[in-house]
Amino acid sequence: ADSLYTPFANPVSRSCALRGAELIASALDDDPDRRDRRSLALGSILCGYAIDSGLFALHHVICQTVVRVCGSPHAQTNAAVLPHAMAAMAARAPERIEALAGAIGTEPSRIAERIVELARPRGLGAAGADPAQLEAALDGIEQRPELQFTPDPPDRDELRAIVEAAW
């Protein structure tokens, strides 16, 4: 998702990100025992290429820092933060969020709900994140230069709101 709106995003990285998101969402809509693992794998590869090419911003800056500082697992942290990060991006990158919403089968106004439906996040607390480390995590997030790849980077209060909503 981040690779859609960074200053390094390009037509190929955006195309890969959107196709990857579409493949992953389509597979996750199926029952776990019937999921098309090839679609999940190809979707992951395409999204990996997109982030390698277009780099990352808000979502990954938050997640990488929370994992490192608060001790929560990578996948669960990404799932818990993603809906809130994308809701925060809706006004910052409306065309990109509209494209992402279309790729995962929803309207832009429902992107957070659709991500929750697909990812079924447990929340940062349930994933084992240490709440006593929240301030240290916010300090770390603010210090990451990649946060500036986010259009209209959020201030500390908004970052806190995103992380707390994911808790």
Side-chain angles (χ1 to χ4, degrees):
D2 279 343
S3 64
L4 294 170
Y5 51 77
T6 71
F8 307 100
N10 59 72
V12 175
S13 67
R14 287 183 180 129
S15 178
C16 287
L18 293 172
R19 180 64 177 139
E22 179 182 27
L23 287 166
I24 291 168
S26 177
L28 290 178
D29 277 333
D30 288 336
D31 290 327
D33 59 334
R34 294 191 341 214
R35 287 189 179 142
D36 182 351
R37 296 193 184 282
R38 286 179 287 196
S39 290
L40 286 170
L42 179 56
S44 295
I45 289 167
L46 290 171
C47 289
Y49 171 82
I51 205 157
D52 281 349
S53 179
L55 298 181
F56 56 89
L58 180 65
H59 175 248
H60 278 81
V61 168
I62 291 172
C63 293
Q64 290 173 350
T65 308
V66 167
V67 165
R68 181 175 44 82
V69 175
C70 297
S72 53
H74 177 265
Q76 291 90 335
T77 301
N78 276 274
V81 173
L82 186 60
H84 309 289
M86 291 305 96
M89 289 308 302
R92 289 178 167 89
E95 290 178 14
R96 304 298 177 218
I97 298 304
E98 182 178 355
L100 179 60
I104 65 171
T106 194
E107 298 295 319
S109 63
R110 292 198 65 248
I111 194 161
E113 294 170 52
R114 177 67 170 143
I115 293 168
V116 167
E117 179 182 294
L118 291 167
R120 298 184 193 118
R122 298 182 332 176
L124 295 174
D130 181 357
Q133 296 302 315
L134 177 59
E135 292 305 316
L138 292 170
D139 290 343
I141 292 166
E142 287 184 310
Q143 293 170 11
R144 295 281 302 272
E146 300 92 348
L147 186 60
Q148 298 307 307
F149 299 162
T150 306
D152 185 25
D155 63 16
R156 189 179 184 97
D157 289 339
E158 187 175 5
L159 291 169
R160 178 188 308 283
I162 293 167
V163 175
E164 286 179 348
W167 215 272

